[in-house]
Short mmCIF file of all heavy atoms in Angstrom, two decimals:
data_model
loop_
_atom_site.label_atom_id
_atom_site.label_comp_id
_atom_site.label_asym_id
_atom_site.label_seq_id
_atom_site.Cartn_x
_atom_site.Cartn_y
_atom_site.Cartn_z
N GLU A 138 104.57 97.95 75.45
CA GLU A 138 104.22 99.32 75.49
C GLU A 138 105.30 100.21 75.16
O GLU A 138 105.03 101.28 74.47
CB GLU A 138 103.73 99.61 76.94
CG GLU A 138 102.46 98.89 77.32
CD GLU A 138 101.17 99.55 76.88
OE1 GLU A 138 100.72 100.52 77.42
OE2 GLU A 138 100.69 99.12 75.82
N VAL A 139 106.53 99.91 75.53
CA VAL A 139 107.65 100.76 75.06
C VAL A 139 107.88 100.65 73.63
O VAL A 139 108.05 101.70 72.87
CB VAL A 139 108.88 100.34 75.77
CG1 VAL A 139 110.16 101.01 75.26
CG2 VAL A 139 108.85 100.59 77.31
N ARG A 140 107.75 99.51 73.01
CA ARG A 140 107.98 99.26 71.53
C ARG A 140 106.92 100.16 70.81
O ARG A 140 107.19 100.71 69.74
CB ARG A 140 107.87 97.89 71.13
CG ARG A 140 109.16 97.17 71.49
CD ARG A 140 109.13 95.74 70.79
NE ARG A 140 108.00 94.89 71.03
CZ ARG A 140 107.95 94.03 72.08
NH1 ARG A 140 109.07 93.84 72.80
NH2 ARG A 140 106.87 93.32 72.35
N ALA A 141 105.69 100.15 71.34
CA ALA A 141 104.62 100.83 70.68
C ALA A 141 104.64 102.34 70.85
O ALA A 141 103.80 103.08 70.30
CB ALA A 141 103.25 100.27 71.11
N GLY A 142 105.61 102.80 71.72
CA GLY A 142 105.60 104.25 71.96
C GLY A 142 104.58 104.75 72.99
O GLY A 142 104.39 105.91 73.17
N ARG A 143 103.96 103.83 73.72
CA ARG A 143 103.00 104.18 74.72
C ARG A 143 103.57 104.33 76.13
O ARG A 143 102.94 104.81 76.99
CB ARG A 143 101.87 103.11 74.78
CG ARG A 143 100.95 103.17 73.48
CD ARG A 143 99.71 102.33 73.68
NE ARG A 143 99.95 100.86 73.66
CZ ARG A 143 99.95 100.09 72.52
NH1 ARG A 143 99.66 100.64 71.39
NH2 ARG A 143 100.16 98.87 72.67
N LEU A 144 104.79 103.91 76.22
CA LEU A 144 105.64 104.20 77.48
C LEU A 144 106.96 104.81 77.00
O LEU A 144 107.53 104.38 76.02
CB LEU A 144 105.90 102.93 78.22
CG LEU A 144 104.78 102.36 79.10
CD1 LEU A 144 105.22 101.09 79.84
CD2 LEU A 144 104.29 103.39 80.18
N ASP A 145 107.46 105.80 77.70
CA ASP A 145 108.79 106.34 77.45
C ASP A 145 109.90 105.54 78.01
O ASP A 145 111.03 105.50 77.46
CB ASP A 145 108.82 107.75 78.00
CG ASP A 145 107.77 108.65 77.35
OD1 ASP A 145 107.83 108.86 76.09
OD2 ASP A 145 106.89 109.23 78.12
N ALA A 146 109.66 104.85 79.10
CA ALA A 146 110.67 104.04 79.71
C ALA A 146 110.07 103.00 80.58
O ALA A 146 108.94 103.17 81.11
CB ALA A 146 111.70 104.95 80.55
N ALA A 147 110.81 101.91 80.91
CA ALA A 147 110.38 100.88 81.79
C ALA A 147 111.44 100.05 82.34
O ALA A 147 112.58 99.92 81.69
CB ALA A 147 109.34 99.98 81.04
N LEU A 148 111.33 99.61 83.53
CA LEU A 148 112.21 98.51 84.06
C LEU A 148 111.35 97.26 83.93
O LEU A 148 110.13 97.17 84.20
CB LEU A 148 112.45 98.76 85.48
CG LEU A 148 113.64 99.76 85.92
CD1 LEU A 148 113.79 99.80 87.44
CD2 LEU A 148 114.88 99.32 85.23
N ALA A 149 111.98 96.17 83.50
CA ALA A 149 111.24 94.88 83.41
C ALA A 149 112.20 93.78 83.61
O ALA A 149 113.45 93.85 83.45
CB ALA A 149 110.66 94.87 81.98
N PHE A 150 111.67 92.60 83.97
CA PHE A 150 112.39 91.39 84.20
C PHE A 150 112.44 90.55 82.90
O PHE A 150 111.49 90.55 82.06
CB PHE A 150 111.80 90.54 85.20
CG PHE A 150 111.85 91.09 86.55
CD1 PHE A 150 110.71 91.52 87.20
CD2 PHE A 150 113.03 91.18 87.33
CE1 PHE A 150 110.70 92.06 88.47
CE2 PHE A 150 113.09 91.69 88.56
CZ PHE A 150 111.90 92.17 89.19
N PHE A 151 113.65 89.97 82.59
CA PHE A 151 113.80 89.14 81.39
C PHE A 151 114.64 87.88 81.69
O PHE A 151 115.41 87.88 82.75
CB PHE A 151 114.57 89.89 80.28
CG PHE A 151 113.68 90.96 79.60
CD1 PHE A 151 113.64 92.22 80.07
CD2 PHE A 151 112.92 90.61 78.52
CE1 PHE A 151 112.87 93.23 79.46
CE2 PHE A 151 112.16 91.54 77.88
CZ PHE A 151 112.15 92.83 78.38
N PRO A 152 114.50 86.84 80.93
CA PRO A 152 115.42 85.67 81.15
C PRO A 152 116.84 86.13 80.92
O PRO A 152 117.10 87.10 80.24
CB PRO A 152 114.92 84.62 80.08
CG PRO A 152 113.57 85.09 79.68
CD PRO A 152 113.52 86.60 79.87
N GLN A 153 117.72 85.39 81.57
CA GLN A 153 119.18 85.75 81.30
C GLN A 153 119.60 85.58 79.84
O GLN A 153 119.16 84.68 79.20
CB GLN A 153 120.07 84.76 82.17
CG GLN A 153 121.49 85.18 82.17
CD GLN A 153 122.30 84.19 83.14
OE1 GLN A 153 121.94 83.04 83.22
NE2 GLN A 153 123.41 84.81 83.68
N GLY A 154 120.32 86.58 79.39
CA GLY A 154 120.82 86.51 78.06
C GLY A 154 119.84 87.14 77.11
O GLY A 154 119.97 87.00 75.82
N SER A 155 118.98 88.02 77.59
CA SER A 155 117.99 88.74 76.67
C SER A 155 118.65 90.03 76.17
O SER A 155 118.16 91.18 76.41
CB SER A 155 116.67 89.05 77.37
OG SER A 155 116.07 87.85 77.89
N ASP A 156 119.70 89.92 75.37
CA ASP A 156 120.51 91.06 74.95
C ASP A 156 119.73 92.02 74.00
O ASP A 156 120.20 93.12 73.73
CB ASP A 156 121.77 90.61 74.34
CG ASP A 156 122.70 89.91 75.36
OD1 ASP A 156 122.59 90.22 76.60
OD2 ASP A 156 123.50 89.11 74.97
N GLY A 157 118.68 91.52 73.33
CA GLY A 157 117.92 92.30 72.43
C GLY A 157 116.95 93.27 73.02
O GLY A 157 116.24 93.99 72.39
N HIS A 158 116.89 93.25 74.38
CA HIS A 158 115.95 94.09 75.11
C HIS A 158 116.61 95.05 75.98
O HIS A 158 116.90 94.71 77.17
CB HIS A 158 115.01 93.14 75.92
CG HIS A 158 114.25 92.20 75.11
ND1 HIS A 158 113.02 92.54 74.50
CD2 HIS A 158 114.49 90.89 74.86
CE1 HIS A 158 112.57 91.46 73.85
NE2 HIS A 158 113.39 90.53 74.09
N GLY A 159 116.72 96.29 75.51
CA GLY A 159 117.25 97.40 76.38
C GLY A 159 118.61 97.18 76.94
O GLY A 159 119.44 96.49 76.42
N GLU A 160 118.81 97.81 78.10
CA GLU A 160 120.11 97.71 78.83
C GLU A 160 120.02 96.98 80.12
O GLU A 160 119.12 97.16 80.88
CB GLU A 160 120.48 99.25 79.18
CG GLU A 160 121.75 99.39 80.00
CD GLU A 160 121.96 100.74 80.44
OE1 GLU A 160 121.20 101.70 79.98
OE2 GLU A 160 122.86 101.03 81.27
N ARG A 161 120.92 96.01 80.25
CA ARG A 161 120.93 95.14 81.46
C ARG A 161 121.35 96.06 82.63
O ARG A 161 122.41 96.62 82.72
CB ARG A 161 121.86 93.95 81.29
CG ARG A 161 121.78 92.94 82.48
CD ARG A 161 122.77 91.82 82.30
NE ARG A 161 124.05 92.28 82.35
CZ ARG A 161 124.75 92.46 83.44
NH1 ARG A 161 124.18 92.19 84.73
NH2 ARG A 161 126.02 92.85 83.48
N ILE A 162 120.52 96.02 83.66
CA ILE A 162 120.84 96.65 84.98
C ILE A 162 121.48 95.81 85.96
O ILE A 162 122.42 96.13 86.65
CB ILE A 162 119.61 97.36 85.53
CG1 ILE A 162 118.92 98.30 84.60
CG2 ILE A 162 119.87 98.06 86.96
CD1 ILE A 162 119.85 99.48 84.25
N ALA A 163 120.98 94.54 86.03
CA ALA A 163 121.40 93.54 87.01
C ALA A 163 121.01 92.20 86.63
O ALA A 163 120.03 91.95 85.93
CB ALA A 163 120.93 93.90 88.42
N THR A 164 121.79 91.18 87.06
CA THR A 164 121.42 89.76 86.95
C THR A 164 121.15 89.25 88.41
O THR A 164 122.07 89.34 89.19
CB THR A 164 122.46 88.91 86.30
OG1 THR A 164 122.67 89.47 84.93
CG2 THR A 164 122.00 87.46 86.21
N LEU A 165 119.97 88.73 88.63
CA LEU A 165 119.54 88.38 90.01
C LEU A 165 119.23 86.89 90.14
O LEU A 165 118.63 86.36 89.19
CB LEU A 165 118.37 89.17 90.51
CG LEU A 165 118.41 90.73 90.39
CD1 LEU A 165 117.08 91.24 90.86
CD2 LEU A 165 119.57 91.19 91.28
N PRO A 166 119.71 86.25 91.18
CA PRO A 166 119.21 84.88 91.40
C PRO A 166 117.70 84.79 91.67
O PRO A 166 117.13 85.66 92.32
CB PRO A 166 120.04 84.38 92.57
CG PRO A 166 120.44 85.66 93.30
CD PRO A 166 120.55 86.74 92.23
N LEU A 167 117.15 83.72 91.19
CA LEU A 167 115.72 83.42 91.62
C LEU A 167 115.76 82.50 92.83
O LEU A 167 116.56 81.48 92.73
CB LEU A 167 114.95 82.79 90.42
CG LEU A 167 114.38 83.72 89.45
CD1 LEU A 167 113.39 82.92 88.48
CD2 LEU A 167 113.58 84.88 90.06
N VAL A 168 114.97 82.75 93.77
CA VAL A 168 115.05 82.01 95.03
C VAL A 168 113.62 81.57 95.40
O VAL A 168 112.63 82.25 94.98
CB VAL A 168 115.71 82.66 96.26
CG1 VAL A 168 117.16 82.94 95.85
CG2 VAL A 168 114.98 83.98 96.56
N TRP A 169 113.51 80.48 96.21
CA TRP A 169 112.17 80.11 96.68
C TRP A 169 111.96 80.82 98.01
O TRP A 169 112.90 80.97 98.91
CB TRP A 169 112.26 78.56 96.90
CG TRP A 169 112.35 77.78 95.65
CD1 TRP A 169 113.44 77.23 95.11
CD2 TRP A 169 111.27 77.42 94.74
NE1 TRP A 169 113.18 76.58 93.91
CE2 TRP A 169 111.86 76.70 93.65
CE3 TRP A 169 109.89 77.72 94.67
CZ2 TRP A 169 111.05 76.28 92.61
CZ3 TRP A 169 109.20 77.30 93.64
CH2 TRP A 169 109.72 76.56 92.65
N ILE A 170 110.71 81.27 98.16
CA ILE A 170 110.41 82.05 99.34
C ILE A 170 109.19 81.51 100.05
O ILE A 170 108.18 81.14 99.36
CB ILE A 170 110.17 83.53 98.99
CG1 ILE A 170 111.39 84.09 98.38
CG2 ILE A 170 109.72 84.36 100.18
CD1 ILE A 170 111.24 85.49 97.73
N GLY A 171 109.23 81.38 101.35
CA GLY A 171 108.08 80.93 102.14
C GLY A 171 107.98 81.57 103.47
O GLY A 171 108.88 82.40 103.81
N ALA A 172 106.95 81.28 104.25
CA ALA A 172 106.77 81.83 105.53
C ALA A 172 107.91 81.35 106.46
O ALA A 172 108.35 80.21 106.34
CB ALA A 172 105.40 81.58 106.12
N LYS A 173 108.24 82.07 107.44
CA LYS A 173 109.24 81.66 108.45
C LYS A 173 108.70 80.41 109.16
O LYS A 173 107.58 80.43 109.58
CB LYS A 173 109.60 82.78 109.42
CG LYS A 173 110.40 83.84 108.79
CD LYS A 173 110.93 84.90 109.80
CE LYS A 173 111.84 85.95 109.17
NZ LYS A 173 112.23 87.00 110.19
N GLY A 174 109.54 79.47 109.38
CA GLY A 174 109.16 78.18 109.97
C GLY A 174 108.42 77.21 109.09
O GLY A 174 108.17 76.11 109.55
N ARG A 175 108.10 77.63 107.88
CA ARG A 175 107.53 76.72 106.92
C ARG A 175 108.50 75.75 106.30
O ARG A 175 109.54 76.21 105.80
CB ARG A 175 106.66 77.51 105.86
CG ARG A 175 105.90 76.53 104.98
CD ARG A 175 105.21 77.34 103.86
NE ARG A 175 104.50 76.44 103.01
CZ ARG A 175 103.29 75.96 103.22
NH1 ARG A 175 102.53 76.43 104.20
NH2 ARG A 175 102.72 75.14 102.32
N GLN A 176 108.15 74.56 106.10
CA GLN A 176 108.85 73.59 105.29
C GLN A 176 108.21 73.38 103.92
O GLN A 176 107.05 73.79 103.78
CB GLN A 176 109.02 72.28 105.99
CG GLN A 176 109.59 72.36 107.43
CD GLN A 176 111.02 72.89 107.40
OE1 GLN A 176 111.78 72.35 106.62
NE2 GLN A 176 111.32 73.86 108.22
N ALA A 177 109.01 72.78 103.06
CA ALA A 177 108.49 72.61 101.69
C ALA A 177 108.42 71.12 101.44
O ALA A 177 108.81 70.64 100.32
CB ALA A 177 109.33 73.30 100.59
N ALA A 178 107.83 70.36 102.44
CA ALA A 178 107.80 68.93 102.26
C ALA A 178 106.53 68.37 101.73
O ALA A 178 106.37 67.21 101.42
CB ALA A 178 108.06 68.32 103.63
N GLU A 179 105.46 69.26 101.57
CA GLU A 179 104.19 68.78 101.21
C GLU A 179 104.16 68.30 99.74
O GLU A 179 104.94 68.71 98.84
CB GLU A 179 103.16 69.97 101.23
CG GLU A 179 102.98 70.47 102.70
CD GLU A 179 102.00 71.67 102.67
OE1 GLU A 179 100.88 71.55 102.12
OE2 GLU A 179 102.38 72.67 103.19
N THR A 180 103.27 67.29 99.44
CA THR A 180 103.21 66.81 98.15
C THR A 180 101.70 66.65 97.82
O THR A 180 100.96 65.98 98.60
CB THR A 180 103.84 65.46 97.99
OG1 THR A 180 105.20 65.53 98.26
CG2 THR A 180 103.66 64.86 96.59
N PRO A 181 101.15 67.36 96.78
CA PRO A 181 101.98 68.11 95.80
C PRO A 181 102.35 69.50 96.54
O PRO A 181 101.61 69.92 97.49
CB PRO A 181 101.01 68.38 94.65
CG PRO A 181 99.68 68.16 95.23
CD PRO A 181 99.81 67.13 96.34
N LEU A 182 103.29 70.13 96.09
CA LEU A 182 103.86 71.43 96.64
C LEU A 182 102.89 72.48 96.36
O LEU A 182 102.59 72.79 95.18
CB LEU A 182 105.27 71.69 96.11
CG LEU A 182 105.98 72.90 96.61
CD1 LEU A 182 106.38 72.64 98.07
CD2 LEU A 182 107.23 73.23 95.81
N PRO A 183 102.37 73.21 97.39
CA PRO A 183 101.51 74.32 97.13
C PRO A 183 102.20 75.55 96.73
O PRO A 183 103.17 75.92 97.35
CB PRO A 183 100.76 74.52 98.47
CG PRO A 183 101.75 74.01 99.50
CD PRO A 183 102.51 72.92 98.85
N LEU A 184 101.80 76.14 95.70
CA LEU A 184 102.42 77.35 95.13
C LEU A 184 101.52 78.56 95.09
O LEU A 184 100.35 78.47 94.88
CB LEU A 184 102.94 77.08 93.65
CG LEU A 184 103.86 75.91 93.44
CD1 LEU A 184 104.06 75.71 91.90
CD2 LEU A 184 105.18 76.16 94.14
N VAL A 185 102.17 79.68 95.34
CA VAL A 185 101.44 81.02 95.30
C VAL A 185 102.20 81.80 94.21
O VAL A 185 103.38 82.16 94.41
CB VAL A 185 101.50 81.82 96.68
CG1 VAL A 185 100.88 83.19 96.50
CG2 VAL A 185 100.80 80.97 97.70
N LEU A 186 101.54 82.07 93.10
CA LEU A 186 102.13 82.67 91.91
C LEU A 186 101.26 83.79 91.31
O LEU A 186 100.14 83.76 91.52
CB LEU A 186 102.41 81.58 90.87
CG LEU A 186 103.38 80.47 91.34
CD1 LEU A 186 103.30 79.33 90.26
CD2 LEU A 186 104.76 80.91 91.55
N PHE A 187 101.99 84.60 90.49
CA PHE A 187 101.11 85.55 89.67
C PHE A 187 100.33 84.62 88.70
O PHE A 187 100.82 83.54 88.30
CB PHE A 187 102.05 86.48 88.87
CG PHE A 187 102.41 87.68 89.61
CD1 PHE A 187 102.17 87.91 90.98
CD2 PHE A 187 102.99 88.80 88.92
CE1 PHE A 187 102.48 89.02 91.65
CE2 PHE A 187 103.34 89.97 89.61
CZ PHE A 187 103.09 90.10 90.97
N ASP A 188 99.25 85.21 88.13
CA ASP A 188 98.50 84.43 87.16
C ASP A 188 99.23 84.60 85.82
O ASP A 188 100.18 85.45 85.70
CB ASP A 188 97.07 84.98 86.95
CG ASP A 188 96.88 86.47 86.95
OD1 ASP A 188 97.93 87.13 86.79
OD2 ASP A 188 95.80 86.97 87.26
#
Side-chain angles (χ1 to χ4, degrees):
E138 294 280 277
V139 172
R140 284 195 301 269
R143 293 190 287 267
L144 283 178
D145 298 299
L148 281 181
F150 294 110
F151 285 91
Q153 187 177 30
S155 299
D156 295 334
H158 298 277
E160 174 188 355
R161 186 182 67 84
I162 301 298
T164 299
L165 304 177
L167 276 190
V168 298
W169 295 98
I170 299 171
K173 287 185 177 179
R175 182 183 179 90
Q176 302 298 313
E179 297 177 52
T180 301
L182 183 68
L184 300 176
V185 177
L186 301 171
F187 272 15
D188 46 17

